Amino acid sequence: SPRILVINPNTTAAMTDSIGACAAAAASPGTTVTAVTPAMGPASIESHYDEALAVPGMLAEIARAEADGSADGYVIACFGDPGLDAARELARGPVVGIAEAAMRTAAYLGRGFSVVTTLDRTRGRAEDLAAHYGLARFCRRVRACEIGVLALEEPGAREVVLAECRRAVTEDGSDAVVLGCAGMAELCAEISAEIGVPVVDGVAAATRTVETLVALGLRTGDRGEFARPPAKPYTGLLRDFQVA
Ligand SMILES: NC(=O)NC1=NC(=O)NC1=O
């Protein structure tokens, strides 16, 4: 049975627990889902700086799982898809980010989707990812709740997210809404029930996507761009990142 490692690239264990529960709920009965928190990195990812500093800790989790042979595929559970291409160089099995999975899934559901994310400053990243994945024509708008990632747990946050999702339907004419943060995963069912269009949570979408790729015996091509990185020294805090 497939073993999926879900990596929360930030270092907030409570978020890892919530993400892991959503991934496990989405997975098929025979699939094993393990969620992990990196040993180092930002408490949340809300800027390019946070995203850059999340990558080494996330990659270390993939390197460990590859050394153990303990995972058949990986989910990177942050809406910036941090370190996705580097992860694909290290992993034998498929690696899927929650933004790519959610956007590709939403594109099956109609002519256009809106993304509802956290801080306004992260909207550009979501727009860039849509374009990078060839989905700019499907992504009608990226909206921000102006709620910090760790503030999603606070009272009143879910109402703000719900209101923004409603506006995505009434103002953007979107056929689907994508939740633009792993911290929103547990709100998906509730928001879906309220707004009358499909709501895509990237944690669930990525988990099922990895499961499907593994079941089809598919993995990242390792002939060229995504071959293992060339061996070389890394210094200072990165000295343990030398690839065998
Ligand atoms: N757009 C986002 O808020 N992304 C995220 N930051 C995190 O720490 N986790 C996410 O999913």
Side-chain angles (χ1 to χ4, degrees):
S1 62
R3 300 160 305 163
I4 300 176
L5 185 65
V6 178
I7 305 165
N8 169 19
N10 75 40
T11 51
T12 298
M15 271 191 74
T16 306
D17 294 345
S18 153
I19 289 164
C22 291
S28 301
T31 296
T32 306
V33 171
T34 306
V36 292
T37 310
M40 60 179 167
S44 66
I45 298 164
E46 306 175 305
S47 65
H48 296 295
Y49 185 80
D50 291 342
E51 187 154 332
L53 293 181
V55 173
M58 184 276 294
L59 292 176
E61 295 305 319
I62 293 195
R64 174 184 304 117
E66 287 295 297
D68 301 346
S70 55
D72 300 305
Y74 301 89
V75 170
I76 298 177
C78 169
F79 205 78
D81 292 352
L84 177 60
D85 288 334
R88 288 176 173 164
E89 291 178 340
L90 293 186
R92 281 185 53 77
V95 185
V96 175
I98 67 170
E100 181 173 10
M103 290 182 184
R104 291 195 189 286
T105 299
Y108 288 121
L109 306 176
R111 179 160 293 278
F113 61 80
S114 296
V115 175
V116 174
T117 192
T118 52
L119 297 184
D120 191 76
R121 66 180 296 161
T122 69
R123 290 194 313 110
R125 175 67 178 165
E127 290 164 358
D128 288 351
L129 287 175
H132 179 64
Y133 298 135
L135 296 170
R137 65 181 287 181
F138 287 91
C139 183
R140 304 174 77 96
R141 183 151 175 205
V142 176
R143 291 173 167 273
C145 301
E146 208 47 33
I147 295 178
V149 173
L150 300 182
L152 286 169
E153 290 304 305
E154 289 168 10
R158 46 175 289 290
E159 286 77 9
V160 174
V161 176
L162 179 57
E164 202 61 44
C165 291
R166 284 194 201 286
R167 278 192 285 277
V169 176
T170 56
E171 295 175 17
D172 306 342
S174 287
D175 304 297
V177 172
V178 167
L179 299 180
C181 179
M184 296 177 183
E186 59 191 6
L187 301 177
C188 188
E190 177 184 342
I191 294 173
S192 298
E194 295 265 346
I195 68 170
V197 303
V199 178
V200 181
D201 151 46
V203 173
T207 300
R208 278 289 180 147
T209 299
V210 170
E211 196 180 74
T212 297
L213 293 170
V214 171
L216 294 171
L218 298 173
R219 57 187 180 81
T220 305
D222 61 4
R223 303 290 303 144
E225 178 177 347
F226 295 100
R228 282 187 70 73
K232 71 187 66 169
Y234 297 87
T235 62
L237 292 175
L238 300 180
R239 64 184 159 282
D240 296 338
F241 281 79
Q242 180 138 346
V243 174

